[in-house]
Amino acid sequence: MGKKAEERRPQSHMEVEGLLCKNFYKRFGKAVLPMIEEVFRQWGRVLGERMKKKLGDVDFKTAVLTYIKPATKREPKAEIIEATEKRVELKVYACPYILNGQGQELCEAMMAMDREIINAIIKDEVRLELPKTLAKGDDYCHAILTRLTTA
């Protein structure tokens, strides 16, 4: 194996997940998106319930900011545009799954995990909008998380 092959090796579990999903999607097309979304949603529920045990009862803003904290520490750092009890808006400049140019649909299927993590922490429904994504070729991901109801 040459140097080029080594450069493509995944460097984290998220990159492994991204590589697996990209290859699965390339091979089988849109038919696999519901499966990918369901698996990521289920894993998000598990992770969210674990976080809930550690965090206890927290509000929406705290839950989202706690969850995205690692993205605000890695380079390039994510930028929080707005953070309120009803809505958190951010820009992320690096995809941990390396989905750059792989398509919005695959990104949204995998992001079901993030939405479900927040749902589990706050025990409420959250909408995730992605008007811009690295996956569809934009310069950054623009994510908007909105709490759909208030307790």
Side-chain angles (χ1 to χ4, degrees), residues 59-70 72 80 82-84 88 90 118:
D59 60 31
F60 171 76
K61 178 180 170 182
T62 302
V64 175
L65 293 179
T66 300
Y67 175 65
I68 66 168
K69 193 173 188 176
T72 64
I80 299 166
E82 176 185 18
T84 69
V88 175
L90 63 145
I118 305 303

Side-chain angles (χ1 to χ4, degrees), residues 35-113:
M35 284 185 273
I36 291 171
E37 182 172 343
E38 180 58 20
V39 168
F40 275 77
R41 189 193 61 72
Q42 288 179 22
W43 183 232
R45 174 59 59 173
V46 169
L47 295 175
E49 288 170 353
R50 287 179 187 169
M51 286 183 75
K52 172 87 176 144
K53 284 181 184 176
K54 289 180 184 175
L55 295 173
D57 289 330
V58 295
D59 60 31
F60 171 76
K61 178 180 170 182
T62 302
V64 175
L65 293 179
T66 300
Y67 175 65
I68 66 168
K69 193 173 188 176
T72 64
K73 293 183 184 266
R74 69 176 168 252
E75 293 296 331
K77 293 180 180 180
E79 174 186 344
I80 299 166
I81 298 167
E82 176 185 18
T84 69
E85 184 45 38
K86 181 108 172 100
R87 185 174 190 269
V88 175
E89 183 176 354
L90 63 145
K91 290 181 180 179
V92 179
Y93 297 94
C95 177
Y97 298 113
I98 312 177
L99 295 180
N100 304 54
Q102 299 297 310
Q104 179 95 11
E105 293 172 324
L106 179 58
C107 172
E108 288 178 355
M110 294 176 73
M111 291 297 292
M113 178 183 76

